[in-house]
Amino acid sequence: MTLMNSAELRQKFLDFFEKNGHAVIPSASLIPKDSTVLFTTAGMQPLIPFLLGEKHPEGKRLVNIQKCFRSNDIDEVGDDTHNTFFQMLGNWSLGDYWKKESIGWSFEFLTKELEIPLERLAVSCFIGDENAPKDEESAEIWASLGVKKERIAFLPKEDNWWGPVGESGPCGPDTEIFYWKATSIPVPEKYDPADKNWVEIWNNVFLQYVKTADGKYVLAEQKNVDTGMGFERTLAILNGFENIYETDLFVSVMQLFPGETDERKKRIIADHSRACVFLISDGVIPSNKDQGYVLRRLLRRMMVHMRGIEHDILLPIKKSIEIYKGVYVLDEEKIVAVVKEEAEKFEKTLAGGLKAIEKIDVINGKEAFLLYETYGFPLEVLEEMREVANREQFFEELKKHQHPFS
Ligand code: SER
């Protein structure tokens, strides 16, 4: 495998697809123009109008590295592979090439450009259901490239179908590529989707359908390809790292904390500081609703985890800015000012809040809301420390009240 740092992987990916006729387009904002969803969660999302037939000014083959944010992965952060903010390497065909080219290029990029050994790869394809047939075509293409039958699994919609974003829009069967990450044991002959050593690295979606508002799957007028490869995961794999936090995207933030610091805490701080930098950079300000609440939650969670380790929340924030300064335009002054203001607000009440919950084991949703109102503990941060019963009550109260922290 080719050892490379983040800058090299970025360049290699863009160059490869550019060489194959794709126009390089910039990353869109983390905050979608279409307000039906809070964040940009995948590279295809900002392209939806073009996937639905609008003409893209750069043509029919596009490539980029898209900033993404997935708030539903917050609880997974701290394991080896999940992030809230992450970057997705993606290439698209807008009514142009189809499965053969798409799978062929993914295969070539992984095995030739990145020199990932074929014996460490496995794939999955859609098994078929009442909405769409079994994807034999993708499986045959994989087989023709040398992927053994035992390494090709057919799986149902939960695994091998992507989209739409939100309730309706482009979607379709996908074929996913997995990498065997364990180093200590021989790679098994057969791909077992349940074995966590197989990590998903790339997802090629064949956007052949549109899900309508009334839940039907209709054939799309234009057949598109949408692929997404996890930048952080791929970088870790190429360097033989067990986890993404050892890569150059995180290591200098991780090193801010003493060696004996709890690993999960360090990872949460490293993930969240980077996410906060990019959310603020794209215009989010801490508040009690929507994107602002998510940002508040990340910043306050960081502060709770940093207690007793490192007092200054600006340290990991500034380090994260430093890592990305050459890649994205980041207004350091503005980002620091927003974080500082929020940190000062929470700092005033944090110690009191921790004291207030000291002797309580279970809190109900209403009390949780009072703790948020009085001490500024976001529900999810509180839940990490105490059991919260009837959590829906928290949101009912939140809706009812005009919030002092907003
Ligand atoms: N949209 C697909 C995903 O998010 C592929 O880019 O995985």
Side-chain angles (χ1 to χ4, degrees):
M1 269 191 293
T2 314
L3 281 184
M4 60 180 77
N5 64 26
S6 57
E8 289 162 335
L9 177 57
R10 263 192 198 99
Q11 206 51 49
K12 220 175 178 54
F13 182 78
L14 296 175
D15 287 351
F16 177 80
F17 282 99
E18 202 173 16
K19 188 181 80 192
N20 286 298
H22 294 65
V24 180
I25 57 167
S27 171
S29 169
L30 283 174
I31 310 307
K33 284 196 188 119
D34 157 13
S35 58
T36 55
V37 282
L38 288 184
F39 297 106
T40 300
T41 55
M44 59 81 80
Q45 210 172 304
L47 295 171
I48 288 175
F50 309 103
L51 297 167
L52 290 171
E54 200 178 300
K55 231 173 130 69
H56 195 286
E58 298 292 336
K60 292 180 175 179
R61 293 181 181 191
L62 307 174
V63 61
N64 87 352
I65 300 175
Q66 175 63 45
K67 299 177 285 182
C68 300
F69 184 90
R70 291 189 179 170
S71 56
N72 54 343
D73 283 341
I74 292 183
D75 294 332
E76 315 260 10
V77 172
D79 70 2
D80 288 344
T81 52
H82 284 88
N83 284 133
T84 50
F85 170 87
F86 64 99
Q87 295 152 98
M88 204 184 262
L89 307 166
N91 62 286
W92 293 274
S93 156
L94 303 174
D96 191 57
Y97 57 84
W98 193 232
K99 295 182 182 178
K100 190 162 180 272
E101 294 86 342
S102 169
I103 292 174
W105 282 326
S106 292
F107 183 83
E108 187 184 338
F109 186 71
L110 293 174
T111 59
K112 304 266 163 35
E113 296 285 324
L114 303 185
E115 295 174 353
I116 295 179
L118 177 56
E119 59 160 24
R120 285 193 168 266
L121 296 175
V123 301
S124 64
C125 301
F126 182 54
I127 199 166
D129 65 7
E130 66 281 11
N131 305 124
K134 186 174 180 181
D135 190 4
E136 301 276 11
E137 192 185 347
S138 293
E140 275 162 27
I141 298 167
W142 285 120
S144 76
L145 293 167
V147 179
K148 294 205 183 96
K149 246 177 94 188
E150 303 74 51
R151 291 283 181 83
I152 305 174
F154 284 98
L155 300 173
K157 230 189 197 109
E158 302 87 70
D159 304 284
N160 278 92
W161 185 275
W162 206 88
V165 174
E167 294 300 311
S168 59
C171 58
D174 64 28
T175 179
E176 300 188 2
I177 309 169
F178 298 83
Y179 174 83
W180 178 259
K181 70 165 187 175
T183 44
S184 49
I185 38 176
V187 187
E189 292 284 305
K190 195 172 159 57
Y191 164 52
D192 171 8
D195 189 329
K196 294 278 177 268
N197 278 310
W198 290 107
V199 194
E200 183 203 334
I201 50 171
W202 207 339
N203 184 11
N204 295 30
V205 189
F206 304 111
L207 297 169
Q208 207 175 345
Y209 296 88
V210 174
K211 189 176 180 188
T212 58
D214 57 357
K216 290 200 184 74
Y217 292 89
V218 296
L219 277 177
E221 276 176 35
Q222 177 180 296
K223 289 200 300 188
N224 308 295
V225 179
D226 152 37
T227 92
M229 168 156 60
F231 183 53
E232 289 77 2
R233 288 181 188 186
T234 307
L235 192 60
I237 283 166
L238 289 174
N239 289 285
F241 295 143
E242 290 272 321
N243 67 74
I244 55 178
Y245 298 94
E246 292 177 43
T247 66
D248 65 290
L249 299 174
F250 290 106
V251 81
S252 60
V253 179
M254 297 293 280
Q255 281 167 353
L256 288 173
F257 306 103
E260 70 277 10
T261 313
D262 179 71
E263 180 68 16
R264 189 166 165 269
K265 279 190 180 185
K266 281 198 282 190
R267 291 178 179 188
I268 290 172
I269 297 164
D271 170 88
H272 288 13
S273 56
R274 179 172 83 150
C276 292
V277 162
F278 281 96
L279 287 175
I280 298 168
S281 177
D282 280 345
V284 183
I285 299 289
S287 76
N288 70 333
K289 65 178 185 37
D290 300 339
Q291 293 98 341
Y293 180 68
V294 176
L295 173 61
R296 163 159 291 161
R297 187 175 151 191
L298 296 178
L299 283 169
R300 293 188 176 195
R301 189 178 189 215
M302 262 176 81
M303 286 178 71
V304 168
H305 282 301
M306 282 175 73
R307 268 182 78 84
I309 304 173
E310 165 56 60
H311 183 72
D312 189 0
I313 188 177
L314 291 176
L315 278 182
I317 293 283
K318 285 183 181 163
K319 263 283 178 263
S320 299
I321 297 175
E322 202 179 293
I323 295 169
Y324 291 94
K325 252 203 308 235
V327 186
Y328 298 96
V329 181
L330 297 169
D331 181 346
E332 177 156 1
E333 224 171 284
K334 176 186 139 187
I335 296 165
V336 165
V338 171
V339 172
K340 221 170 149 188
E341 194 186 327
E342 177 70 5
E344 278 166 8
K345 255 186 209 170
F346 192 43
E347 192 63 57
K348 284 194 196 123
T349 55
L350 176 56
L354 290 173
K355 206 164 167 41
I357 61 166
E358 219 171 53
K359 297 202 173 72
I360 314 174
D361 289 326
V362 186
I363 292 161
N364 69 35
K366 242 184 172 153
E367 291 161 344
F369 177 73
L370 282 176
L371 284 165
Y372 177 48
E373 213 174 34
T374 316
Y375 301 107
F377 281 151
L379 174 66
E380 299 77 2
V381 174
L382 190 63
E383 279 176 329
E384 275 189 286
M385 300 185 282
R386 295 291 180 273
E387 187 186 329
V388 178
N390 303 326
R391 73 193 304 275
E392 338 50 75
Q393 280 179 353
F394 175 90
F395 295 101
E396 285 162 20
E397 294 297 312
L398 190 67
K399 260 195 221 138
K400 275 194 249 161
H401 292 71
Q402 209 41 36
H403 203 272
F405 287 101
S406 58

